[in-house]
């Protein structure tokens, strides 16, 4: 190979064996796209599981304080029906806000990532796959998640209302 003066420092000039090594390295990395996409999926599921665990822990630690507050409200003359409505309204607002935030974050992440995640180890001969987010499956999943969340909110509210005892006022709030 004939070199021109100053070409020794040029990183674009690659001798023959190094070019073959670079080609082998690029070929080995090209097949790792689906594996990396699977790693991304597993990481997202792990993050969702951790978020769910943190939510359950927060609810568990708040139960004692909430039963104390509800017992104080009942002792001051609040009716159980009014407490039930207040609890359900609080839970519905919290669940709806969380669902809306999760839906928006998921749609933005899907729009940003779907086109960049490799789906094949080798580029296909067929036309590229569409990466639009289908509205019907997203609506079905969001609706099911919202229904389950609201059912859980009703169950938690009823459990809190059943735990109201005026005797709890003797205990210090947590």
């Amino acid at each position: 190979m004939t070199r021109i003066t100053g070409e020794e420092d040029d990183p674009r000039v690659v001798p023959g064996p190094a070019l073959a090594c670079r080609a082998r390295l690029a070929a080995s990395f090209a097949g790792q796209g689906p594996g990396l996409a699977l790693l991304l999926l597993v990481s997202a599921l792990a993050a969702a599981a951790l978020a769910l665990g943190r939510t359950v822990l927060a609810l568990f630690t708040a139960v004692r304080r909430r039963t104390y507050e509800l017992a104080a409200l009942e002792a001051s003359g609040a009716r159980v029906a009014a407490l039930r409505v207040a609890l359900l309204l609080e839970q519905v607002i919290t669940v709806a806000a969380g669902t809306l935030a999760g839906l928006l974050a998921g749609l933005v992440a899907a729009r940003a990532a779907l086109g960049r995640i490799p789906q094949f180890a080798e580029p296909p001969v067929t036309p590229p796959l569409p990466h639009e987010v289908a509205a019907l499956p997203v609506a079905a999943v969001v609706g099911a998640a919202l229904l389950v969340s609201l059912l859980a909110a009703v169950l938690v509210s009823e459990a809190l209302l059943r735990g109201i005892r005026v005797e709890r006022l003797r205990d210090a709030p947590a």
Side-chain angles (χ1 to χ4, degrees):
M1 174 188 300
T2 307
R3 291 187 180 253
I4 303 172
T5 309
E7 205 175 53
E8 294 85 16
D9 299 330
D10 190 0
R12 293 174 294 176
V13 176
V14 180
L19 181 63
C21 180
R22 184 178 281 182
R24 281 194 312 269
L25 188 60
S28 75
F29 284 149
Q32 293 180 3
L36 292 175
L38 180 63
L39 179 64
L40 178 66
L41 175 66
V42 169
S43 299
L45 291 175
L50 286 172
L52 180 64
R54 171 62 181 102
T55 303
V56 169
L57 179 65
L59 285 173
F60 181 74
T61 56
V63 166
R64 182 171 178 194
R65 181 182 48 88
R66 294 299 303 264
T67 55
Y68 180 85
E69 292 169 356
L70 292 171
L73 286 171
E74 186 183 33
S76 65
R79 292 176 303 171
V80 175
L83 294 176
R84 178 176 286 114
V85 169
L87 276 174
L88 287 175
L89 186 61
E90 176 186 343
Q91 296 294 327
V92 166
I93 290 171
T94 303
V95 166
T99 301
L100 181 63
L103 175 66
L104 290 176
L107 289 175
V108 167
R111 187 167 191 86
L114 277 179
R116 291 176 177 86
I117 296 174
Q119 298 172 345
F120 303 101
E122 303 270 333
V125 183
T126 60
L129 295 174
H131 293 108
E132 295 89 28
V133 177
L136 187 61
V138 169
V141 169
V142 168
L146 195 57
L147 185 65
V148 168
S149 297
L150 291 175
L151 181 63
V154 168
L155 293 174
V156 167
S157 297
E158 287 300 318
L160 279 172
L161 287 173
R162 291 175 197 244
I164 295 176
R165 302 284 179 264
V166 179
E167 296 83 29
R168 295 218 183 230
L169 293 175
R170 293 185 191 134
D171 300 333

